[in-house]
Amino acid sequence: MRLTTKGRYAVTAMLDLALHAKHGPVSLADISERQGISLSYLEQLFAKLRRSSLVSSVRGPGGGYQLSRGMETIQVAQVIDAVNESVDATRCQGLGDCHAGDTCLTHHLWCDLSQQIHEFLSGISLADLVKRRDVQEVAQRQDLRRVAGRTAQLDKIETSAVD
């Protein structure tokens, strides 16, 4: 089974956005810093997410991105689909040319598995993930690490200004 980095990063970024939505628009730079995803890659992903009406952008100071609708109505499968990805358990990307240009014996089994995975992900909303204690604990740890990093940067600046 294969879920590409693009699909994983899109779901991660959307979950980060959902977790921080209560504070207003979220900048891609903040998501990049918390999740370790390059800013240029996030820009590409969010262009696709915006075209699929999953997010909207807010311009100006304090701008960034926000969910276009309630997190309870955005399913994980929609996020993956929006960035033109699929969860594919076949080796032929569903084309049926897996055995010397023809369909292999297990092709339909793997297609059925891919469909089951898509249905499973269609049953999970961003709100479902936000409610999970394990997700909240990881998000809290990331936020604390970010604050600690900024504090260390400020201390370094203050120390060099005094010298």
Side-chain angles (χ1 to χ4, degrees), residues 32-51:
S32 173
E33 186 179 344
R34 279 189 295 265
Q35 302 309 325
I37 304 170
S38 83
L39 185 57
S40 62
Y41 200 72
L42 283 172
E43 289 168 349
Q44 294 172 31
L45 291 176
F46 273 74
K48 292 180 178 189
L49 295 167
R50 192 175 58 245
R51 280 193 295 274

Side-chain angles (χ1 to χ4, degrees), residues 11-32:
V11 172
T12 299
M14 287 290 285
L15 182 54
D16 184 285
L17 184 62
L19 284 160
H20 295 90
K22 61 186 169 276
H23 304 296
V26 178
S27 75
L28 293 184
D30 288 346
I31 296 172
S32 173

Side-chain angles (χ1 to χ4, degrees), residues 11 75-82 85 117-119 121-124:
V11 172
Q75 310 304 315
V76 172
Q78 291 174 314
V79 175
I80 293 169
D81 292 344
E85 290 300 303
I117 293 169
H118 193 273
E119 288 175 17
L121 296 174
S122 292
I124 302 171

Side-chain angles (χ1 to χ4, degrees), residues 108-141:
H108 298 290
L109 170 68
W110 305 130
C111 284
D112 290 347
L113 175 60
S114 298
Q115 182 60 36
Q116 289 292 317
I117 293 169
H118 193 273
E119 288 175 17
F120 171 75
L121 296 174
S122 292
I124 302 171
S125 71
L126 291 178
D128 294 332
L129 295 175
V130 166
K131 290 177 194 172
R132 290 180 59 143
R133 184 175 27 198
D134 56 341
V135 168
Q136 291 175 11
E137 288 171 357
V138 170
Q140 185 177 25
R141 185 183 70 235

Side-chain angles (χ1 to χ4, degrees), residues 49-120:
L49 295 167
R50 192 175 58 245
R51 280 193 295 274
S52 294
S53 300
L54 294 177
V55 298
S56 59
S57 60
V58 177
R59 295 189 182 273
Y65 283 88
Q66 58 191 17
L67 300 175
S68 292
R69 55 184 196 258
M71 66 178 87
E72 62 281 341
T73 67
I74 299 175
Q75 310 304 315
V76 172
Q78 291 174 314
V79 175
I80 293 169
D81 292 344
V83 295
N84 303 321
E85 290 300 303
S86 63
V87 179
D88 185 11
T90 68
R91 291 194 334 208
C92 63
Q93 287 76 50
L95 299 174
D97 60 356
C98 28
H99 185 72
D102 204 0
T103 304
C104 71
L105 276 175
T106 56
H107 175 80
H108 298 290
L109 170 68
W110 305 130
C111 284
D112 290 347
L113 175 60
S114 298
Q115 182 60 36
Q116 289 292 317
I117 293 169
H118 193 273
E119 288 175 17
F120 171 75

Side-chain angles (χ1 to χ4, degrees), residues 154-163:
L154 289 173
D155 289 345
K156 188 175 182 180
I157 291 169
E158 288 175 1
T159 302
S160 64
V162 172
D163 294 341

